[in-house]
Amino acid sequence: MPAPMLSTSPVYPALYLYPLNDSFFIPKQIALTTYGRRVRLGRKSPSSNAQSSRAPEKKQVNFDSSVVSRQHAEVWQEGNKIFVRHTQSANGTFVNGRRLSPEGQASYPYELKTNDLLELGTDITGYFDTIAHQRIVCRVVCVFTRVEVAMVAMADSRRQRRGYSVTGSVYIPRYQEVSAG
């Protein structure tokens, strides 16, 4: 089954999250167009829709997982950087296998980079060491320009034509402007 397509409208800066470890969520495209505005990452709950209508200043991206708290982490953009911060949940937020803060404590901001692995929560095992509740694991793609949006779209399209998942690594070269001295 081909992976679902992301939005065709170019949005940047943005954070794209691609599912890994059978997390079973549709790839997420999180627009970070308002400088410094934080977007919460959390568990989907019956009151999520009611909360978002009462507090329009806070945007939330939901995951269907019981190991992710309702307000698990937050992401935002400053300049040409995207940051994540863990917000005191018990099950933790990890970037490339590194826990951002001790259990129950908020973390300092951590810069996300393309191809980082972002994990929300930890696996909870049940009887016979089977996983009863699975953490969310996703590959990060940070997009800041129209060119990067096009490159991500081309990489996704190529993978889908070949029958691959869109969750593999994405190479996006970063061009630096050289000022004439």
Side-chain angles (χ1 to χ4, degrees):
M1 178 172 98
M5 292 295 291
L6 295 174
S7 169
T8 56
S9 60
V11 177
Y12 56 89
L15 176 65
Y16 290 35
L17 300 177
Y18 294 98
L20 296 176
N21 86 327
D22 299 327
S23 290
F24 297 119
F25 67 87
I26 295 173
K28 300 196 183 288
Q29 177 182 326
I30 304 168
L32 301 170
T33 54
T34 305
Y35 183 82
R37 183 173 178 194
R38 295 174 186 230
V39 176
R40 287 188 181 140
L41 305 178
R43 180 176 69 230
K44 189 176 185 176
S45 69
S47 61
S48 291
N49 294 336
Q51 286 175 350
S52 63
S53 64
R54 280 182 289 186
E57 72 280 354
K58 288 287 186 184
K59 181 178 177 186
Q60 178 144 347
V61 174
N62 294 317
F63 294 91
D64 189 15
S65 172
S66 57
V67 299
V68 176
S69 66
R70 288 182 182 92
Q71 298 176 12
H72 195 91
E74 56 187 14
V75 294
W76 70 96
Q77 170 261 337
E78 289 180 12
N80 278 343
K81 295 180 179 180
I82 295 176
F83 294 94
V84 63
R85 186 177 78 87
H86 177 71
T87 55
Q88 301 182 351
S89 81
N91 290 324
T93 300
F94 303 78
V95 176
N96 299 324
R98 181 176 172 253
R99 190 176 186 131
L100 297 185
S101 65
E103 183 177 332
Q105 293 182 20
S107 73
Y108 290 105
Y110 188 90
E111 182 182 357
L112 289 174
K113 297 188 184 284
T114 293
N115 290 325
D116 279 348
L117 294 181
L118 177 64
E119 299 175 47
L120 304 175
T122 55
D123 289 338
I124 297 176
T125 56
Y127 294 110
F128 306 111
D129 291 329
T130 59
I131 296 175
H133 302 286
Q134 191 172 36
R135 71 190 188 276
I136 298 293
V137 180
C138 45
R139 183 166 307 282
V140 169
V141 177
C142 301
V143 177
F144 294 100
T145 67
R146 186 177 297 260
V147 171
E148 291 172 344
V149 170
M151 292 175 78
V152 169
M154 286 183 348
D156 289 349
S157 174
R158 230 175 310 158
R159 283 190 185 90
Q160 286 182 350
R161 280 196 310 268
R162 292 179 182 162
Y164 298 127
S165 154
V166 296
T167 59
S169 64
V170 177
Y171 174 69
I172 299 178
R174 296 302 305 222
Y175 299 101
Q176 296 183 1
E177 295 180 21
V178 179
S179 58

